[in-house]
Amino acid sequence: MRERVDKMAGAAAKDVWLFTFHAFCARFLRMEITKLGGYGSNFAIYDSSDSQNLIKQILKELNLDEKRFQPAGIASRISNAKNQLQSVSDFSKAASDFYNQKVAEIYERYQNKLLVNNAVDFDDLLVKAVELFQSCPDVLEYYQERFRYIMVDEYQDTNTVQFKLISILAGKYHNLC
């Protein structure tokens, strides 16, 4: 796609950001994440293996059985929460049984350990971008001016956090295709 845009737009293509949601957010956060506090621009991005290893560490700390609290399942629950923009606090409030209360506790420790390690997971790339836009109006204003026109391929496949990100970014000019 990059080659086609370069061919069609010529020299103007150098100013076009052409990324997946995650790559866009990674680039954006490398430039701006320090405004959230606690993170450095050299943050690590944890893949699913890194995330599951961190969850295993937390399970050991909490003395929870990996057979009952399977790391992959816990990672999936946390990912689903993030993709719905459900914070640790919201998740904890909704936890109505022992299992979900423990998952909420794991989620909280997981997020704290990511911060201490100056790391984000793939879902956090989008969540932290939304958080930054919502908490820093000057940053939002800059990027709304920078991206007056936005095109999203396969828009029908966007999830909650992707929809929120695009809605915020396109909120000033509404030039979304």
Side-chain angles (χ1 to χ4, degrees), residues 37-51:
Y39 290 96
S41 60
N42 62 337
F43 61 87
I45 301 172
Y46 281 17
D47 63 17
S48 60
S49 177
D50 297 323
S51 294

Side-chain angles (χ1 to χ4, degrees), residues 156-169:
Q156 73 277 3
D157 295 333
T158 57
N159 63 24
T160 301
V161 68
Q162 293 167 339
F163 173 78
K164 184 71 171 180
L165 177 68
I166 291 300
S167 296
I168 291 170
L169 198 51

Side-chain angles (χ1 to χ4, degrees), residues 24-177:
F24 169 85
C25 290
R27 181 172 177 184
F28 164 68
L29 290 173
R30 292 273 181 224
M31 295 183 287
E32 305 291 350
I33 199 167
T34 57
K35 292 178 176 82
L36 283 177
Y39 290 96
S41 60
N42 62 337
F43 61 87
I45 301 172
Y46 281 17
D47 63 17
S48 60
S49 177
D50 297 323
S51 294
Q52 286 185 40
N53 287 334
L54 186 55
I55 290 168
K56 287 178 185 179
Q57 177 186 342
I58 294 165
L59 291 173
K60 285 180 184 165
E61 290 172 6
L62 295 173
N63 200 26
L64 294 172
D65 182 13
E66 278 190 40
K67 291 179 182 165
R68 171 118 198 254
F69 295 91
Q70 296 178 349
I74 301 295
S76 179
R77 301 282 301 257
I78 292 170
S79 177
N80 289 339
K82 290 180 181 187
N83 284 314
Q84 293 298 316
L85 288 171
Q86 192 175 26
S87 68
V88 169
S89 175
D90 293 338
F91 191 91
S92 293
K93 287 176 190 170
S96 59
D97 59 20
F98 176 79
Y99 183 84
N100 284 310
Q101 289 168 359
K102 287 300 174 188
V103 172
E105 188 175 352
I106 295 164
Y107 184 6
E108 182 174 18
R109 285 183 182 229
Y110 176 79
Q111 287 306 118
N112 289 337
K113 287 180 181 290
L114 286 174
L115 181 61
V116 166
N117 293 336
N118 191 37
V120 297
D121 62 21
F122 284 121
D123 298 310
D124 280 333
L125 290 171
L126 281 70
V127 170
K128 295 299 178 190
V130 168
E131 185 180 325
L132 207 149
F133 282 141
Q134 289 176 327
S135 64
C136 299
D138 56 323
V139 173
L140 175 60
E141 172 74 21
Y142 174 82
Y143 286 94
Q144 284 178 330
E145 289 299 323
R146 171 70 178 84
F147 302 113
R148 288 183 172 205
Y149 300 92
I150 300 170
M151 182 183 152
V152 178
D153 191 26
E154 303 291 337
Y155 184 82
Q156 73 277 3
D157 295 333
T158 57
N159 63 24
T160 301
V161 68
Q162 293 167 339
F163 173 78
K164 184 71 171 180
L165 177 68
I166 291 300
S167 296
I168 291 170
L169 198 51
K172 184 172 184 178
Y173 292 104
H174 306 285
N175 291 323
L176 178 61
C177 177

